[in-house]
Amino acid sequence: MTDQALTDKAGEARLKKRHAAEARFRWYGRIAIAIALGFLVLLLGRVVQQGYTAFWTHSITTSVYLDPARIDRSDLEGNNFDYIAGGDLLKRLKVADDALGLASGEAMDLVSRDLGFQLLDKIKADPSLIGKTVTLTVPVKANADLYYKGEIERSTPAADRKLTDRQMDWLDRLKADGTVKAHFNSAFFTRSDSTEPEQAGVLGAVVGSALMLLVAALIAVPVGVLAAVWLEEFSPKGRLSGFIEVNINNLAAVPSIVYGLLGLVLFINWLGFPRSAPLTGGMVLALMSLPTIIIATRAALKAVPPSIREAALGMGASRTQTVFHHVLPQAMPGVMTGVILSLAHALGETAPLLMIGMVAFTPGLPESLASAASVLPVQVFLWENAAEAAFHERTAGAIMVLLLFMIVMNSAAVILRRRFEKRW
């Protein structure tokens, strides 16, 4: 074999080896993407499996006779309307109460406490209803709802479940005669937190998150963009600018709980801002978002071709006019993308909000930026740690709402980038 033949054979072997390495690299990438997608599908599938039942519930339509002999007109709020309703429900089921009222107690445990509050409100509004029969539709109790959804089974030992055999028999009869019906759980989106799982909703947390995000955006966006413009376009390059740049990059990697500690010391202990308020939470998230916004804005400014600046300066524009009339508008798609992604990331943070006390039970909607409020990540944290099993499905439901919120924000970032993207 000649030297030329040996050389060609060795070259073919090296070429074949390189092709094999490239093929392996492509497969490694495909496997990595498949694993990532698998974990994503597993995560979303588990959340949907646990949370989709939160979007439908069961309600009972019942008639209550407002017996004048059992209602104290002088102290309406002192009456036990739940007990009165429980007795009427027993009559509907054709069950006689015992001397101790145990059957009435079991019947009361099937209907939400909201029934008693609705009766009280109706009598307050119209006292002439006393002595008449009122028909109301209210949610069933959380455990009854779980029974209808198959999460409480008869086969479970009686000591390990929240419903007795008699209560399950009653629920079957009520469902069979059409007294109880399943429907979309609109209350989950129109109510705030509650100690009763069947009355708990995410509206208060959604409004609190929106207010907190508004505060964070109003502070972080102008400060972050202007800081990035000054660092990239106006600051003299030297040790000071280098020192600032290094520290901004380091701040972007600081754990979020550190920002919570900073907010606790600075805003609450020193400046006296209210705890558990969207104003305080928004300022903490603004501090956390600033480094990311500055870095994203500087990257967007760097991507603008120098010819834009040179052309503007050549036409007689000042340095400030060049930056704010030509460079910054051209960089705006990248700036907006960075801002939205940074705020979307901040929306999902829980640790800094726990540090500033946003774990208070807030059943209503926040009336101002300084009012006590909850936010979606903290609401998820509170419900997951609740003792009632019905809160767990609402936890997954709230996670789905939070994911939808973040998907919308990320989609907006993608749309804005593609709409205003410039090709140089």
Side-chain angles (χ1 to χ4, degrees), residues 212-284:
M212 189 179 66
L213 211 57
L214 176 65
V215 173
L218 289 177
I219 296 173
V221 174
V223 174
V225 171
L226 290 177
V229 168
W230 184 82
L231 287 171
E232 190 62 33
E233 302 290 340
F234 296 100
S235 69
K237 305 302 177 187
R239 290 184 178 181
L240 178 60
S241 61
F243 176 77
I244 294 174
E245 183 176 351
V246 168
N247 279 281
I248 288 174
N249 293 335
N250 289 334
L251 285 173
V254 169
S256 59
I257 196 168
V258 175
Y259 288 99
L261 286 169
L262 176 63
L264 176 66
V265 174
L266 179 62
F267 300 128
I268 295 178
N269 293 346
W270 187 32
L271 296 177
F273 279 45
R275 282 178 174 268
S276 190
L279 177 64
T280 311
M283 294 182 78
V284 172

Side-chain angles (χ1 to χ4, degrees), residues 188-199:
F188 185 70
F189 299 96
T190 57
R191 290 190 169 187
S192 298
D193 196 10
S194 171
T195 55
E196 303 290 333
E198 68 275 3
Q199 299 181 42

